[in-house]
Amino acid sequence: MSAKASPDAVPFSEARIPDDDFARMREENLARWPTGAGVDFEAAVDRHLALPEHKRLGFVMRRADAEGRCLTQPRGGFATFEMQKELMQALDRDGLADVVPTTTDSYTRNERWPQAEAGVEESKKLGRSMLNGFPIVNYGVDICAELVAAIDKPAIVLSGTAMPRLTSEIVLAGGYSGYLGSGIAYTTSYTKEVSIEDGIRNYQYLDRLAAMYAERGVDLHRRQPGFLTGTNIPPCIAIVVAVLDVLLAAGQGVRNYGLELGQALHLIQDSAAIHACRELCQEYLEKKGYDDVFTPVISLHWMGAWPYDDAQAAALLAYGGTLGAVGGAVSVTTKSTHEAFGLPTPEKNVEGLKITRMAIYLARHTRLDDNPEFLEEKELIGREVRPIVDKVLEMGDGDAALGTVRAIEAGVLDIPWSPNRQCQSRILPARDTDGYLRILEAGDMPFPKDVLEIHEAKLRRRAERDGVPYDQDLAVTSVFEMSEKLADLMPFAWGEGH
Amino acid sequence: MSAKASPDAVPFSEARIPDDDFARMREENLARWPTGAGVDFEAAVDRHLALPEHKRLGFVMRRADAEGRCLTQPRGGFATFEMQKELMQALDRDGLADVVPTTTDSYTRNERWPQAEAGVEESKKLGRSMLNGFPIVNYGVDICAELVAAIDKPAIVLSGTAMPRLTSEIVLAGGYSGYLGSGIAYTTSYTKEVSIEDGIRNYQYLDRLAAMYAERGVDLHRRQPGFLTGTNIPPCIAIVVAVLDVLLAAGQGVRNYGLELGQALHLIQDSAAIHACRELCQEYLEKKGYDDVFTPVISLHWMGAWPYDDAQAAALLAYGGTLGAVGGAVSVTTKSTHEAFGLPTPEKNVEGLKITRMAIYLARHTRLDDNPEFLEEKELIGREVRPIVDKVLEMGDGDAALGTVRAIEAGVLDIPWSPNRQCQSRILPARDTDGYLRILEAGDMPFPKDVLEIHEAKLRRRAERDGVPYDQDLAVTSVFEMSEKLADLMPFAWGEGH
Amino acid sequence: MTAAEAAGGSPHRTLITGVIGSDTHIVGTRILSMGLEKAGYKVVALGALTPAEEFVKAAIETDADAIMISSLYGQGELDCRGFRDLCVEAGIGGVLIYVGGNLVVGKQSWAEVEQRYLDMGFDRAFPPDTRLDGVLVALAADFSTRGQVEKEVG
Amino acid sequence: MTAAEAAGGSPHRTLITGVIGSDTHIVGTRILSMGLEKAGYKVVALGALTPAEEFVKAAIETDADAIMISSLYGQGELDCRGFRDLCVEAGIGGVLIYVGGNLVVGKQSWAEVEQRYLDMGFDRAFPPDTRLDGVLVALAADFSTRGQVEKEVG
Ligand code: B12
Ligand code: B12
């Protein structure tokens, strides 16, 4: 085991990894931990092809999109097999989840498998999960297959990491038909020391692997986590990264690729973002000559700080369903009223699913596709995204991989609140008077001047309204906003109240 | 005590009750139950004028409207003073209610004060409320004043009845600054034997009384309960009644008159309804020469059958806040997750308020005022409402009171699911494929042919989609819809699921 | 064929429906009445706001087999007390009496609520989420037992 | 002046901040660090994903007065075990150690969680809804007691 996979001989670029190189990379990779030996690609293909259609996420996402449905999918992982199975069954049966997740723990994500092992032992001893997810590499392929068999929906792995090589081999071999993660998004938001180049390489591996399944008729669903650091990410930033990540995935042969967007919590902005994301990704895919990549958008419950009050959290859950349904997302990834405190119990997770599902049901007919404010905002997003993506590609002489690494180093591509050392993280978002997420400081990102003026004007209006200076504190208060007490957010407006 | 006040000598019309007649009517009225003697109009005026502005609902509604706020107001009533005070304080302090209610019990509503008295005794004996509201007439003026003093918000009385004469005298004397109820809406939806004429007369009394306070500088808030029978009321029906009720109130001198609308649970239809309601009421007020009646619209949480599942109910609560905020309602009247089962405990009532308030906070910026579908729907509502109102006024030779009585008899004005014998109740609404409430059967209501064709086309599409005949069952299933289990409303779409 | 379909009504069986007391909630009783009629029963619908005495009167006049009382508004617990006695006094003490709806104030344990109504002399009590099917099955079961009893006695 | 304003920091007091273990949640520690600096403290910010050893190393190198550990992702209960011992072994056993965030997996009783961390040797533990003000007051209180003790001892 090593925290970093050995450097690959393949030169770094967006090009498809050659088959023989890939074979060698796989061999090295699978040797890093005993359970790697359990991976048998041929058997895995058969396993997938034997699954009924409704348990294949690739199929389910395509059909949901074609039928205009909005699905629900929770997150969820606990330390032991028993806990994990019980959780997944509760989400499937009681929560009516359309897609059932397995979230890995953070040791697994950082390839600290011995520590994960210790966490399992400790959890068994104490009778409660000491890990924040399921250490799926330690458990191996057969256990994956058992979990997939325990539910009657497609299963997806959620593993926020820049190092998905071994995890993905094992879970795909075990019958999981969905895998969340991407090189740019996760490396900038989940790691400190991993270089963007390594992160991208690692996901090129995963994407090539997924494409290998596809070549054998297994239409796996790959997915990009556009929520990034989850902290007031304006749609344009998420979408720039989505465009680059999907180009990288397409380069390896992926054709079924979901795009996640964290909710901005504004009905118009989120609808605009969902539409713009898909359109802009398709626009750049086309430019690169890909006309057959399926890119459904998935809307994520508020990814920033949650309120500590159950009732407030319930409203956020329901609104998240509304935003996803009205925005035309193909699926909503859900949270629970426990979000501000810790991982939800299966019951609370189920509750979150049901609140969201009912909210989706209620709003499933409503679309804002010809609403003037929506059209305006969507257009603005285009004006924000294209200059950045164009510049990134230009910096890479047309290569998305090279361009991204150079652009992040130069701050041309920047992520708010990123822990990664390579990322300047000088861009700073804040919420404006109308509830839109805007850019307070752009760092070195080359947004057009007129676009930045719009952002500044709107945020200056907020500073005025709040009677505070126009400074970084606008960003900090925006981080806390949704976690504030209702009595502070919306007090009785007259008299002292209480 | 008598269930019906003695017939008034004044001829029945929309005209203002002459002062001397009114003085006589009041005298007779106050003599009907001992607590009537506690009413002292002069002292009452002083009591109101001594209240701080923020405890006067007339003021608070005007300011909320001017400032574009959306308030929250729950319902709530229990049998004894102690229970009622505790409830009101919880709603005020813990629930952050902007307006604090006192709901009367159903014996009080039907002027069965001795039965109410027995209910109080029984409640004290059993230690739980045996009445579904507070028997405020039995308790009298001073207790009203104590309740008003116990909170720091304006207080409103909710008393679904066609017989508000004595109740209103007592609570207005006691410092309540808001009173919900109207002659047409409540008589058609809360009574079986009371004639529309008597119901209108009774509310003319109340409106005249409120206007008498206004003449002395006390800007009370009167309010019309446009939700009617709460059962899939299409906006046009509610608005026709609102127009007629506000004309009657204005005729007695009322100038601060809220219009309630039960939510249709469709973002576009509800927004359109809220705007259309206010505009159409103003249009007819103007026609009648009233240019100074303040008519804010209040949006009510779903008034039909609720789901039995807490999570589903929570989504309905939150969506109700969204609908009110986006629609531009000045206030939302809230329910709780206990709705399908029974009166909520103070805790559950508080929770309902908080979920709604947070939902309002989240959507407070969003408006659909120039959304094409919204504009179309609003226009359609106008085409539905005007022909009916015009016909009603024509039948009354321009008199709204006479016209209403004749129109209801003739079925020209009809209410779905009405228990009232005078009401044909042949009109039958149902939900269409796009989630709009439409008219399945119009009875004798003179809607234009082209309008009815729109409704029919949309409902036929639903029958097709559901694969059911185009018949009354569309209406019945629409009654149950929102109370169905989530697994039935929105099952996993592929495979058997569970 | 579901159990409910099997439990078709008979036009020889007359059912009184209505909402007791000062209760205006008419939707449930109306839909129930429609459903019972469709299922084959003869239904006499008294509608909302019906005093207890009127149920008894209607039952006597139509020689009814069952009285189906609705109460939604929470005060049914007061309104329904003594209803069986009223029937006994009127000489129809053996009539089948059902009650259904939101039978008490607030969300209370259904088992307790049901017991309270059984103690009052109701043959069955139904919670708020009752649907026609369950009612048809119950009626069929009770009528068949009663038919049996009558036969055995007769 | 609020209690927090009164509790201004001192540039002579050095605080180490960071997120322990494999934990990437940087927002809280970053905002905290900004706030502590603004309040007058000298702050050495280690950022996310910081091994326990690095906290100790930084504390020794900067002669720090306190270590402010964040843990959000739930595995802090494993990461933080033995942290005090590490300090003792490194010869800075007396340093003030705070920990804050979502300190365990799931929503558990705060009183129990706090006790668990106090038992591990932390001077104070802070729940998820902690804001700067409360931290400033605690630091001021602890530094003044320690100042006193040092004075008394010295
Ligand atoms: C934003 C966020 C993320 C972002 C983080 C971006 C980044 N790089 O920082 C992303 C999306 C990347 C993310 C990832 C993950 N997250 Co996360 N995340 C959150 C979220 C929604 C908000 C955190 C936040 O930024 N809050 C705002 C800041 C300002 O507040 P704060 O961090 O709480 O800090 C304040 C206080 O806690 C206190 N404080 C903090 N530290 C200290 C230290 C001291 C000494 C003191 C005195 C005070 C103090 O003061 C701070 C300022 O007021 C929380 C849930 C929530 N709170 O709503 C979950 C949450 C923390 N995440 C959680 C988890 C599990 C994860 C993941 C493992 C993914 C998963 N399983 O779902 C990964 C972690 C990967 C990894 N290796 O670490 C869980 C932890 C569960 C638990 N403890 O039981 C939480 C609680 C959500 C949940 N309920 O499941 N997450
Ligand atoms: C619509 C409605 C109204 C409408 C009624 C319109 C009308 N004229 O019918 C309006 C707005 C007028 C109204 C008024 C009031 N309502 Co109301 N109303 C409702 C609501 C939302 C739906 C009722 C409904 O129509 N359901 C649909 C029908 C089809 O279902 P159902 O009535 O439950 O009937 C089914 C079953 O119960 C069963 N069933 C019913 N009766 C019987 C009888 C037998 C023998 C059997 C076997 C089965 C059976 O079968 C039926 C069909 O499946 C309910 C809450 C809910 N359920 O969501 C509250 C509710 C019934 N109302 C309530 C109250 C208190 C009132 C008011 C007093 C106002 C107030 N305080 O808020 C007034 C009553 C005034 C009065 N004098 O009666 C309370 C009762 C509280 C309690 N029991 O603790 C409820 C539960 C709401 C709540 N949680 O507070 N209401």
Side-chain angles (χ1 to χ4, degrees):
Chain A
M1 194 270 322
S2 77
K4 231 185 198 179
S6 62
D8 312 314
V10 193
F12 181 67
S13 83
E14 66 171 33
R16 183 187 146 145
I17 307 172
D19 289 347
D20 48 350
D21 286 314
F22 191 54
R24 189 186 35 77
M25 286 160 71
R26 289 193 67 212
E27 206 175 308
E28 278 176 23
N29 179 35
L30 294 175
R32 293 191 299 144
W33 187 257
T35 51
V39 174
D40 175 341
F41 183 72
E42 293 303 322
V45 167
D46 291 344
R47 170 171 281 145
H48 279 278
L49 294 178
L51 285 176
E53 269 185 337
H54 71 270
K55 290 187 67 174
R56 303 184 195 178
L57 189 52
F59 166 84
V60 162
M61 291 300 291
R62 285 187 196 272
R63 282 291 290 270
D65 182 54
E67 297 173 11
R69 291 182 192 279
C70 181
L71 310 176
T72 59
Q73 177 215 304
R75 302 179 174 81
F78 290 133
T80 71
F81 171 68
E82 288 69 28
M83 294 176 190
Q84 185 62 23
K85 185 173 157 189
E86 196 191 323
L87 171 63
M88 287 170 70
Q89 290 187 325
L91 297 173
D92 174 12
R93 293 173 193 179
D94 308 336
L96 308 174
D98 297 296
V99 186
V100 177
T102 297
T103 302
T104 64
D105 70 287
S106 292
Y107 294 144
T108 299
R109 292 162 183 229
N110 288 281
E111 303 197 328
R112 300 183 178 273
W113 300 306
Q115 264 180 287
E117 198 77 54
V120 173
E121 291 319 311
E122 198 59 21
S123 302
K124 285 183 180 161
K125 216 175 69 192
L126 293 174
R128 57 183 166 91
S129 183
M130 295 294 283
L131 297 178
N132 60 17
F134 183 63
I136 206 156
V137 169
N138 299 61
Y139 274 104
V141 176
D142 292 345
I143 288 288
C144 289
E146 267 194 66
L147 289 172
V148 169
I151 54 168
D152 199 26
K153 310 281 174 64
I156 188 169
V157 163
L158 314 177
S159 190
T161 174
M163 293 157 282
R165 293 192 190 203
L166 190 50
T167 307
S168 60
E169 284 279 6
I170 286 173
V171 305
L172 296 184
Y176 280 81
S177 54
Y179 200 102
L180 172 67
S182 71
I184 311 173
Y186 269 160
T187 311
T188 54
S189 52
Y190 279 72
T191 70
K192 178 154 93 172
E193 315 277 6
V194 182
S195 72
I196 308 300
E197 182 176 325
D198 283 348
I200 289 178
R201 276 178 190 277
N202 290 337
Y203 276 94
Q204 285 178 318
Y205 177 110
L206 159 49
D207 286 330
R208 186 80 277 283
L209 179 63
M212 234 170 82
Y213 277 95
E215 286 150 19
R216 297 292 297 278
V218 180
D219 183 25
L220 297 177
H221 178 70
R222 280 279 296 119
R223 192 179 283 187
Q224 195 263 359
F227 55 82
L228 302 171
T229 52
T231 305
N232 291 337
I233 305 296
C236 62
I237 301 292
I239 296 173
V240 165
V241 177
V243 169
L244 296 168
D245 268 330
V246 76
L247 291 181
L248 293 172
Q252 299 306 317
V254 169
R255 293 296 176 267
N256 190 328
Y257 197 74
L259 308 163
E260 288 191 349
L261 282 178
Q263 301 180 342
L265 294 181
H266 189 291
L267 192 67
I268 307 281
Q269 188 170 34
D270 280 316
S271 294
I274 290 169
H275 285 75
C277 184
R278 189 158 184 172
E279 288 172 23
L280 287 161
C281 283
Q282 286 297 332
E283 181 178 320
Y284 280 94
L285 282 167
E286 232 166 83
K287 276 195 189 162
K288 282 267 189 183
Y290 306 112
D291 63 356
D292 59 348
V293 188
F294 168 60
T295 54
V297 176
I298 298 99
S299 181
L300 276 70
H301 265 150
W302 176 238
M303 291 297 294
W306 275 57
Y308 301 94
D309 177 82
D310 280 358
Q312 286 178 250
L316 220 50
L317 293 172
Y319 200 48
T322 308
L323 294 172
V326 173
V330 177
S331 184
V332 174
T333 302
T334 63
K335 295 195 169 185
S336 82
T337 57
H338 277 187
E339 175 66 13
F341 293 100
L343 292 185
T345 58
E347 293 69 35
K348 284 287 149 185
N349 211 333
V350 160
E351 180 196 64
L353 273 165
K354 285 164 71 182
I355 291 178
T356 312
R357 197 175 185 85
M358 183 69 185
I360 290 171
Y361 180 79
L362 290 168
R364 73 199 181 288
H365 306 296
T366 305
R367 290 293 177 282
L368 302 178
D369 299 10
D370 47 8
N371 190 65
E373 192 178 334
F374 160 87
L375 292 170
E376 203 180 297
E377 191 64 24
K378 204 178 88 178
E379 198 252 311
L380 177 64
I381 293 174
R383 282 159 62 202
E384 294 159 355
V385 168
R386 288 192 193 93
I388 307 295
V389 173
D390 292 344
K391 182 75 191 166
V392 172
L393 292 176
E394 186 196 309
M395 290 174 81
D397 303 314
D399 185 292
L402 290 165
T404 298
V405 169
R406 293 173 190 156
I408 288 182
E409 254 165 38
V412 163
L413 176 51
D414 200 10
I415 308 297
W417 302 101
S418 166
N420 193 290
R421 290 245 160 102
Q422 285 194 339
C423 204
Q424 292 198 359
S425 206
R426 284 175 47 216
I427 182 168
L428 214 48
R431 202 175 285 281
D432 76 11
T433 1
D434 303 318
Y436 284 87
L437 289 178
R438 301 292 179 199
I439 295 165
L440 178 68
E441 291 175 15
D444 287 330
M445 290 189 72
F447 289 110
K449 197 161 158 283
D450 61 330
V451 164
L452 285 182
E453 278 167 6
I454 295 175
H455 287 252
E456 178 170 341
K458 292 192 182 270
L459 288 171
R460 282 203 182 275
R461 268 210 286 144
R462 166 160 160 225
E464 260 165 52
R465 181 200 65 186
D466 295 356
V468 299
Y470 180 77
D471 66 14
Q472 289 206 350
D473 221 42
L474 289 172
V476 172
T477 48
S478 296
V479 168
F480 285 116
E481 180 186 0
M482 292 303 157
S483 70
E484 303 284 6
K485 287 199 184 79
L486 198 45
D488 296 325
L489 288 176
M490 203 168 118
F492 180 66
W494 309 277
E496 299 97 279
H498 294 283
Chain B
M1 194 270 321
S2 79
K4 230 186 198 177
S6 61
D8 311 314
V10 194
F12 181 66
S13 84
E14 65 172 34
R16 183 186 146 143
I17 307 172
D19 289 348
D20 48 348
D21 286 315
F22 192 54
R24 190 185 35 76
M25 286 158 73
R26 290 192 67 212
E27 205 176 309
E28 277 175 24
N29 180 34
L30 294 175
R32 292 193 299 145
W33 187 256
T35 52
V39 174
D40 174 340
F41 183 73
E42 292 304 323
V45 167
D46 291 344
R47 169 172 282 144
H48 280 278
L49 294 177
L51 286 175
E53 268 185 337
H54 71 270
K55 290 187 65 174
R56 303 184 197 180
L57 189 53
F59 167 84
V60 162
M61 291 299 291
R62 285 187 196 271
R63 282 290 290 271
D65 182 53
E67 297 173 12
R69 292 183 190 279
C70 181
L71 310 176
T72 59
Q73 177 215 303
R75 303 180 174 81
F78 289 134
T80 72
F81 171 67
E82 288 69 28
M83 295 175 190
Q84 185 62 22
K85 185 173 158 188
E86 199 192 320
L87 171 63
M88 288 170 71
Q89 290 187 326
L91 298 173
D92 175 12
R93 293 174 194 179
D94 307 336
L96 307 174
D98 296 297
V99 185
V100 177
T102 297
T103 301
T104 63
D105 69 287
S106 291
Y107 294 144
T108 298
R109 293 161 182 228
N110 288 282
E111 302 198 329
R112 300 181 179 274
W113 300 307
Q115 264 181 288
E117 197 76 53
V120 173
E121 290 319 312
E122 198 60 21
S123 303
K124 286 183 180 162
K125 216 175 72 190
L126 293 174
R128 58 184 166 92
S129 182
M130 296 293 284
L131 297 178
N132 60 16
F134 184 62
I136 207 157
V137 168
N138 299 61
Y139 273 105
V141 176
D142 291 345
I143 288 288
C144 289
E146 267 193 66
L147 289 172
V148 170
I151 55 169
D152 199 28
K153 310 281 175 63
I156 188 170
V157 164
L158 313 176
S159 191
T161 174
M163 295 158 280
R165 292 192 189 202
L166 190 51
T167 307
S168 59
E169 284 279 6
I170 285 172
V171 303
L172 296 184
Y176 281 81
S177 53
Y179 201 102
L180 172 67
S182 71
I184 310 172
Y186 269 161
T187 310
T188 54
S189 51
Y190 278 72
T191 69
K192 178 155 93 172
E193 315 277 6
V194 181
S195 72
I196 308 300
E197 181 175 326
D198 282 348
I200 289 178
R201 275 178 190 277
N202 288 337
Y203 277 94
Q204 285 179 317
Y205 178 110
L206 158 49
D207 286 330
R208 187 80 275 284
L209 179 64
M212 233 170 80
Y213 277 95
E215 285 150 20
R216 297 292 297 277
V218 180
D219 182 26
L220 298 177
H221 177 70
R222 280 280 295 119
R223 191 179 284 186
Q224 195 263 358
F227 54 82
L228 303 172
T229 52
T231 305
N232 292 337
I233 304 297
C236 63
I237 301 292
I239 296 173
V240 164
V241 177
V243 169
L244 296 168
D245 268 330
V246 75
L247 291 180
L248 293 173
Q252 299 305 318
V254 168
R255 292 298 176 264
N256 190 328
Y257 197 75
L259 309 164
E260 289 190 349
L261 283 178
Q263 300 180 343
L265 295 181
H266 190 291
L267 193 66
I268 307 282
Q269 189 170 33
D270 279 316
S271 294
I274 290 169
H275 284 77
C277 184
R278 189 158 184 172
E279 288 172 23
L280 286 161
C281 282
Q282 286 296 332
E283 182 179 318
Y284 280 93
L285 281 167
E286 234 167 81
K287 277 195 189 163
K288 282 269 190 180
Y290 306 112
D291 62 356
D292 59 348
V293 187
F294 168 61
T295 54
V297 176
I298 297 99
S299 181
L300 276 71
H301 265 150
W302 175 239
M303 291 297 294
W306 276 59
Y308 301 94
D309 178 82
D310 279 359
Q312 286 177 253
L316 220 49
L317 292 173
Y319 200 47
T322 307
L323 294 172
V326 173
V330 177
S331 185
V332 173
T333 302
T334 64
K335 296 194 170 186
S336 82
T337 56
H338 277 186
E339 176 66 12
F341 293 99
L343 291 185
T345 57
E347 293 70 34
K348 283 289 150 186
N349 211 333
V350 160
E351 181 196 63
L353 273 165
K354 285 164 71 182
I355 291 178
T356 313
R357 198 176 185 86
M358 184 71 185
I360 290 171
Y361 180 79
L362 290 168
R364 72 198 181 289
H365 305 296
T366 305
R367 290 292 177 283
L368 303 178
D369 298 11
D370 46 8
N371 190 65
E373 193 178 335
F374 160 87
L375 293 170
E376 202 179 297
E377 190 63 24
K378 203 177 90 178
E379 199 251 311
L380 177 64
I381 294 174
R383 282 159 61 203
E384 294 160 355
V385 169
R386 288 192 194 93
I388 308 295
V389 173
D390 291 345
K391 182 75 191 167
V392 171
L393 292 176
E394 186 196 308
M395 290 174 82
D397 303 314
D399 185 292
L402 289 166
T404 299
V405 169
R406 292 172 190 158
I408 288 182
E409 254 166 37
V412 162
L413 176 51
D414 200 10
I415 308 298
W417 302 101
S418 166
N420 192 290
R421 292 243 159 102
Q422 286 194 337
C423 204
Q424 293 198 357
S425 206
R426 284 175 47 214
I427 183 169
L428 214 50
R431 202 175 285 280
D432 75 12
T433 2
D434 303 318
Y436 285 86
L437 290 178
R438 302 291 179 200
I439 295 165
L440 178 68
E441 291 176 15
D444 287 330
M445 289 189 74
F447 289 110
K449 197 162 158 283
D450 62 329
V451 164
L452 284 182
E453 279 167 6
I454 295 175
H455 287 253
E456 180 172 338
K458 293 192 181 269
L459 288 172
R460 283 203 181 273
R461 268 211 286 145
R462 171 166 155 222
E464 262 166 51
R465 181 200 67 186
D466 295 357
V468 298
Y470 180 77
D471 66 13
Q472 289 208 349
D473 220 42
L474 289 172
V476 172
T477 49
S478 296
V479 167
F480 285 116
E481 180 186 0
M482 293 302 157
S483 69
E484 304 284 6
K485 287 200 184 78
L486 198 45
D488 296 325
L489 289 176
M490 203 168 118
F492 180 65
W494 309 276
E496 300 96 277
H498 295 283
Chain C
M1 196 160 73
T2 67
E5 280 163 353
S10 142
H12 305 299
R13 296 286 190 184
T14 301
L15 315 177
I16 311 292
T17 64
V19 192
I20 198 168
S22 300
D23 189 340
T24 184
H25 293 91
I26 200 161
V27 184
T29 190
R30 203 172 270 175
I31 289 181
L32 208 61
S33 303
M34 285 162 63
L36 292 169
E37 218 157 51
K38 222 169 158 185
Y41 287 108
K42 182 155 176 268
V43 175
V44 178
L46 305 179
L49 290 141
T50 302
E53 296 73 20
E54 279 186 28
F55 281 95
V56 180
K57 209 174 125 227
I60 295 172
E61 279 171 7
T62 62
D63 191 20
D65 298 277
I67 303 177
M68 318 279 287
I69 297 179
S70 292
S71 178
L72 281 294
Y73 72 161
Q75 299 182 181
E77 205 178 336
L78 294 173
D79 299 332
C80 289
R81 284 192 188 159
F83 189 84
R84 174 66 72 183
D85 300 337
L86 224 56
C87 294
V88 173
E89 281 160 29
I92 53 165
V95 68
L96 193 66
I97 319 180
Y98 286 6
V99 66
N102 299 80
L103 296 178
V104 293
V105 170
K107 187 174 181 177
Q108 300 182 28
S109 132
W110 172 245
E112 283 175 34
V113 172
E114 185 179 29
Q115 195 53 53
R116 244 178 257 159
Y117 276 84
L118 295 182
D119 289 348
M120 282 189 222
F122 288 86
D123 292 290
R124 292 184 191 252
F126 293 80
D129 59 353
T130 301
R131 291 294 172 84
L132 182 65
D133 284 8
V135 183
L136 289 179
V137 171
L139 279 173
D142 287 351
F143 283 143
S144 99
T145 323
R146 296 202 160 201
Q148 223 96 30
V149 173
E150 278 162 39
K151 252 181 249 150
E152 276 162 30
V153 174
Chain D
M1 198 159 70
T2 67
E5 280 163 354
S10 142
H12 306 299
R13 296 286 190 183
T14 301
L15 315 178
I16 311 292
T17 63
V19 192
I20 197 167
S22 300
D23 190 340
T24 184
H25 295 91
I26 201 161
V27 184
T29 190
R30 202 171 270 175
I31 289 180
L32 208 61
S33 303
M34 285 162 63
L36 292 169
E37 217 157 52
K38 221 169 159 186
Y41 288 107
K42 184 155 174 265
V43 175
V44 178
L46 305 178
L49 291 140
T50 302
E53 296 74 19
E54 277 185 32
F55 281 96
V56 179
K57 207 174 126 226
I60 294 172
E61 278 171 9
T62 62
D63 190 19
D65 298 278
I67 302 178
M68 318 278 289
I69 296 179
S70 292
S71 178
L72 280 294
Y73 72 161
Q75 299 183 180
E77 205 178 335
L78 295 173
D79 299 331
C80 289
R81 285 192 189 159
F83 190 84
R84 173 66 71 184
D85 300 336
L86 225 56
C87 294
V88 172
E89 284 159 26
I92 53 164
V95 67
L96 194 65
I97 320 180
Y98 286 5
V99 65
N102 299 78
L103 296 177
V104 292
V105 170
K107 186 175 182 177
Q108 301 182 27
S109 132
W110 172 246
E112 281 175 34
V113 172
E114 184 178 30
Q115 194 53 53
R116 244 178 256 160
Y117 276 84
L118 295 182
D119 290 347
M120 282 188 224
F122 288 86
D123 292 290
R124 291 183 192 255
F126 293 80
D129 59 352
T130 301
R131 292 294 173 84
L132 182 65
D133 284 8
V135 183
L136 289 178
V137 170
L139 279 174
D142 288 350
F143 283 143
S144 99
T145 321
R146 296 200 158 201
Q148 223 98 30
V149 173
E150 277 163 38
K151 254 181 247 147
E152 276 162 28
V153 175

